[in-house]
Amino acid sequence: AQSVAQPEDQVNVAEGNPLTVKCTYSVSGNPYLFWYVQYPNRGLQFLLKYITGDNLVKGSYGFEAEFNKSQTSFHLKKPSALVSDSALYFCAVRDTTGFQKLVFGTGTRLLVSP
Amino acid sequence: NAGVTQTPKFQVLKTGQSMTLQCAQDMNHEYMSWYRQDPGMGLRLIHYSVGAGITDQGEVPNGYNVSRSTTEDFPLRLLSAAPSQTSVYFCASSYSTSGKEQYFGPGTRLTVT
């Protein structure tokens, strides 16, 4: 069965510093990987995805993610964090059996301090 | 384009009551899903639909029913509410093309007392 793991419940970073939110995956076959962000009292918003091609994927709000097949990782990164990036971030993998359901990680809360 | 809309935003039920959470999308998406979000557990799939008239169970379907009579609407019914169904519920939709991202509604926060 497909799964993703987000090993950190929370990541703290100072504004202006680079940030990384970690995600590892387990899939059979080629992975379709996604990052979503959830701001307080809001639904999830799509940030970026990896389907195939370049290992570095660029997404919304200056975020990018690096796909690493040998390490089965898909870490979310941003060169310079903003206070407004503070939110809950979810990594997800598409189930390869039939319907394209998403299997989500447990989420990582990012806190960016001024 | 309103995207994915959900009503109500908040609801309090007593144990044993029934209700329907509404979900609608105006993007002509074939796929629609219901998830529940609980602290420390991420999002878990309740039911999903691949098109009008076609629904199937996700990983936590017990206590919930769905139907899909139109492409636009995908209501979720709680038959007899239980405190374990206290959660935040999200509806999502997407195109059927492989690899397309899902679009999420703003959520319904349900409390069962």
Side-chain angles (χ1 to χ4, degrees):
Chain A
Q2 278 63 234
S3 66
V4 291
Q6 295 182 244
E8 303 155 316
D9 290 335
Q10 184 164 307
V11 170
N12 297 305
V13 65
E15 188 173 34
N17 283 357
L19 69 88
T20 299
V21 182
K22 295 179 181 177
C23 173
T24 58
Y25 66 88
S26 173
V27 301
S28 54
N30 294 323
Y32 285 15
L33 295 159
F34 300 80
W35 276 103
Y36 285 83
V37 61
Q38 184 180 31
Y39 297 102
N41 301 313
R42 302 285 296 276
L44 277 70
Q45 295 179 32
F46 169 75
L47 274 180
L48 51 79
K49 65 182 177 184
Y50 173 84
I51 305 297
T52 186
D54 289 340
N55 290 342
L56 187 63
V57 179
K58 294 191 183 296
S60 306
Y61 312 122
F63 284 92
E64 57 191 27
E66 186 171 12
F67 172 70
N68 188 317
K69 188 171 184 178
S70 62
Q71 297 186 3
T72 62
S73 67
F74 189 54
H75 300 333
L76 182 70
K77 300 182 179 185
K78 188 173 183 182
S80 179
L82 299 172
V83 172
S84 57
D85 292 330
S86 298
L88 189 57
Y89 290 81
F90 289 97
C91 181
V93 64
R94 197 206 75 169
D95 195 322
T96 56
T97 57
F99 174 66
Q100 298 175 46
K101 74 173 188 178
L102 290 178
V103 177
F104 285 87
T106 52
T108 298
R109 186 164 301 282
L110 173 67
L111 288 178
V112 181
S113 55
Chain B
N1 232 350
V4 180
T5 58
Q6 291 183 237
T7 55
K9 289 191 182 335
F10 303 94
Q11 183 69 50
V12 178
L13 291 178
K14 294 187 188 305
T15 297
Q17 288 184 318
S18 63
M19 79 160 295
T20 299
L21 308 185
Q22 301 292 345
C23 174
Q25 52 91 10
D26 61 358
M27 296 173 282
N28 204 31
H29 286 167
E30 299 94 340
Y31 287 177
M32 296 187 75
S33 314
W34 276 103
Y35 294 87
R36 59 177 289 173
Q37 182 180 23
D38 301 292
M41 302 190 73
L43 279 78
R44 293 180 292 169
L45 183 65
I46 305 171
H47 284 286
Y48 65 92
S49 169
V50 299
I54 307 170
T55 64
D56 206 346
Q57 296 180 351
E59 56 183 305
V60 288
N62 291 342
Y64 307 95
N65 273 358
V66 292
S67 60
R68 182 107 179 260
S69 56
T70 67
T71 299
E72 295 78 19
D73 301 299
F74 191 44
L76 178 72
R77 296 183 187 84
L78 279 71
L79 307 174
S80 177
S84 60
Q85 294 179 304
T86 294
S87 187
V88 182
Y89 292 84
F90 289 101
C91 179
S93 71
S94 70
Y95 291 110
S96 60
T97 309
S98 181
K100 289 297 184 184
E101 60 271 24
Q102 295 191 10
Y103 293 79
F104 285 79
T108 295
R109 185 174 295 274
L110 175 68
T111 301
V112 183
T113 61

